Amino acid sequence: MIAELTSVAIREELDIVYARQRARLISELAGFERTDQTRISTAVSEIARNAYLYAHGGEVAFAVEGDAPCQSLTITVRDEGPGIADLGTVLDGSYSSSTGLGLGIVGARRLMDRFQIASTQEGGITVILGKELPAHAPPVTPAVVKRILYELAKATPASPLEEVSRQNGELLAAMEELRLRQEELVQVNAELEETNRGVVALYAELEDKAKELELANSELESFAYSVSHDLRAPLRAIDGFSEIVYEDNVERLDAESVDNLERVRAAAQRMGALIDHLLVLSRLSRAEVAHSRVDVSALARGVGAELHAGEPDRVVDLVVADGLECSADPVLLRTVLANLLANAVKFTGRHSTARIEVGGSIEGKNRVFFVRDDGAGFDPAYADKLFGAFARLHSEDNFPGTGIGLATVQRIIHRHHGRVWAEGAVEAGATFWFSLPDLPLNGG
């Protein structure tokens, strides 16, 4: 839609004042705020003044273009003067003129949403100014256009003195608005400075907490080492002396006593293994994660070969997908696969044959891997308890272990900013998944 409103012929200096008044009234009736009314009327008067000074006259035409909600007030200023030879330098602000040519153009361009100018030596200059109607303003319908035309018809031109007085009022209002915005800016800056001080204090507090945590971790590691060292000695003594008693008296002891000695030795050895695993778990929180390219397929096959060498009589079909790779710490990732594959071998131990599968895929920004077996499985209701330290869903008699392996897996994956989870069902096997961020694969 294009609704033409009115036009003003620029033949003398008073016409510039009249064009400014028309621009202010039309923008007010179209729903513009006071500040935008001033911007529009100022831009119009500057371009009209150029037409009067440099082309000895022209025309200013007002219209509303577009359909709601994308409507704009469009003002077209035409003259038939000599044009502007250095229009490019005028628009970029580098043109210098003793008469002030170009300053009004640059200023008007900054005040409006839309500014187009065309200059020819034969046809003069055409300037198109546009300002989008405010979102809160009602759309300009034919009825609104009719009302604007009615108000324009009954409006009487103000005298130049009245216009100067109005302009001064607008200037004072603009200065007051700038002052208020300056005060708001000062207040915002003060609040920002206060916030910055708070952030600095928070960072300092976090740094203190980090140092305290580092100290606590160091003390915890020292404590764990000391306790494990102190516990190992009596455990070795229990195991050693039990072995001596067993070897020296096995022929004189009854079956129950022999069984008790064997239980004592097995418990001591199990507790020693538990201490070793706890130490490994505690050190994982402080271990550096050195990322490099890891051939997961080769790593899984290597771990599988070692497990087979430990139980050569077991029939285990290990299927590892080709081309699995990621960016991770190879030593820590080997620990993950060793725990998951060892669990798979263990929990398929009561089956005559076993199938274990290692695979993976890329999902979004993550590389996802799995270790799947067809063994004893687990009750899915307790899946969230699998990765806790000492968590066990099977009895020690059926499947011996320390209950630390999956906790170790989870801690390593978390150190890599990944996630680990499990799916399974009783006597229907289990699948353990872990995801790692899909980082660039570095050589190594």
Side-chain angles (χ1 to χ4, degrees):
M1 178 192 84
I2 299 179
E4 296 180 355
L5 300 176
T6 189
S7 61
V8 178
I10 307 299
R11 296 288 179 264
E12 55 187 46
E13 196 162 359
L14 283 177
D15 295 332
I16 301 172
V17 176
Y18 185 51
R20 179 187 180 95
Q21 294 171 359
R22 299 274 94 176
R24 184 189 300 107
L25 179 57
I26 291 171
S27 58
E28 178 185 355
L29 294 171
F32 286 96
E33 298 287 347
R34 181 71 175 271
T35 52
D36 277 337
Q37 295 172 28
T38 301
R39 292 187 181 102
I40 293 168
S41 58
T42 300
V44 168
S45 66
E46 286 298 321
I47 301 302
R49 185 176 301 280
N50 278 352
Y52 174 73
L53 291 177
Y54 302 109
H56 307 296
E59 182 186 59
V60 180
F62 298 87
V64 173
E65 296 184 355
D67 297 312
C70 300
Q71 293 182 302
S72 64
L73 175 61
T74 302
I75 303 102
T76 304
V77 183
R78 297 186 181 89
D79 68 55
E80 296 180 359
I84 302 176
D86 300 310
L87 184 58
T89 56
V90 169
L91 293 177
D92 64 22
S94 61
Y95 183 78
S96 177
S97 170
S98 59
T99 64
L101 174 66
L103 294 178
I105 292 175
V106 174
R109 185 183 189 185
R110 292 176 179 173
L111 292 172
M112 303 298 285
D113 297 331
R114 178 186 173 200
F115 183 93
Q116 292 176 277
I117 183 169
S119 174
T120 61
Q121 293 183 348
E122 297 81 12
I125 297 175
T126 299
V127 179
I128 300 176
L129 307 171
K131 196 77 169 176
E132 294 180 3
L133 267 65
H136 60 79
V140 177
T141 61
V144 173
V145 171
K146 186 176 181 180
R147 182 173 65 85
I148 292 174
L149 294 176
Y150 172 77
E151 295 294 337
L152 289 173
K154 74 174 187 175
T156 56
S159 68
L161 184 60
E162 291 174 335
E163 184 60 28
V164 170
S165 177
R166 180 187 286 269
Q167 289 184 38
N168 288 338
E170 291 174 354
L171 179 60
L172 290 174
M175 291 177 64
E176 176 64 14
E177 182 180 355
L178 287 174
R179 185 188 67 79
L180 293 175
R181 290 189 178 181
Q182 179 67 24
E183 289 180 356
E184 291 175 2
L185 183 60
V186 170
Q187 179 66 25
V188 168
N189 285 337
E191 293 175 357
L192 182 59
E193 186 176 351
E194 184 67 26
T195 301
N196 286 340
R197 283 196 293 267
V199 170
V200 170
L202 178 60
Y203 276 130
E205 184 178 352
L206 288 175
E207 187 174 351
D208 291 341
K209 294 294 184 184
K211 290 179 180 178
E212 292 176 7
L213 182 60
E214 184 177 358
L215 179 60
N217 284 336
S218 178
E219 292 175 349
L220 182 61
E221 186 174 349
S222 299
F223 175 75
Y225 178 80
S226 176
V227 168
S228 65
H229 183 270
D230 293 341
L231 286 176
R232 279 195 180 99
L235 284 173
R236 283 195 297 267
I238 293 171
D239 185 33
F241 285 118
S242 298
E243 184 180 11
I244 292 172
V245 171
Y246 177 83
E247 291 177 350
D248 291 348
N249 301 278
V250 63
E251 295 179 356
R252 289 178 290 175
L253 295 174
D254 56 33
E256 183 178 357
S257 297
V258 171
D259 182 62
N260 287 338
L261 281 173
E262 290 176 345
R263 286 175 178 271
V264 169
R265 290 198 64 201
Q269 292 168 5
R270 181 173 180 274
M271 189 169 182
L274 185 60
I275 291 171
D276 290 338
H277 290 166
L278 278 174
L279 273 177
V280 171
L281 186 62
S282 67
R283 288 169 181 164
L284 284 175
S285 298
R286 294 173 59 82
E288 292 291 335
V289 178
H291 282 269
S292 65
R293 178 187 174 278
V294 179
D295 186 338
V296 180
S297 299
L299 201 60
R301 291 189 181 105
V303 171
E306 293 179 8
L307 292 172
H308 176 69
E311 297 184 67
D313 296 332
R314 284 284 310 277
V315 179
V316 177
D317 181 18
L318 176 61
V319 180
V320 180
D322 293 326
L324 301 179
E325 58 182 4
C326 68
S327 177
D329 186 306
V331 175
L332 295 179
L333 191 59
R334 189 185 190 285
T335 301
V336 168
L337 291 172
N339 278 285
L340 293 179
L341 287 170
N343 271 1
V345 170
K346 177 170 66 176
F347 287 105
T348 56
R350 292 181 173 271
H351 295 188
S352 57
T353 60
R355 176 182 171 85
I356 300 173
E357 182 183 356
V358 179
S361 62
I362 298 177
E363 297 182 9
K365 296 182 179 180
N366 295 303
R367 292 183 179 245
V368 180
F369 302 93
F370 67 85
V371 176
R372 179 177 294 128
D373 66 68
D374 57 358
F378 59 87
D379 186 340
Y382 301 101
D384 59 337
K385 300 181 182 298
L386 285 171
F387 299 97
F390 309 112
R392 296 181 54 82
L393 301 186
H394 301 276
S395 69
E396 173 72 17
D397 294 336
N398 290 331
F399 299 102
T402 60
I404 299 295
L406 290 179
T408 300
V409 168
Q410 184 183 62
R411 188 159 299 185
I412 291 174
I413 297 303
H414 285 179
R415 290 299 309 279
H416 284 76
H417 305 289
R419 188 169 70 95
V420 60
W421 67 100
E423 298 173 354
V426 176
E427 290 302 329
T431 303
F432 287 86
W433 304 81
F434 63 92
S435 67
L436 299 172
D438 187 18
L439 303 176
L441 298 178
N442 300 319

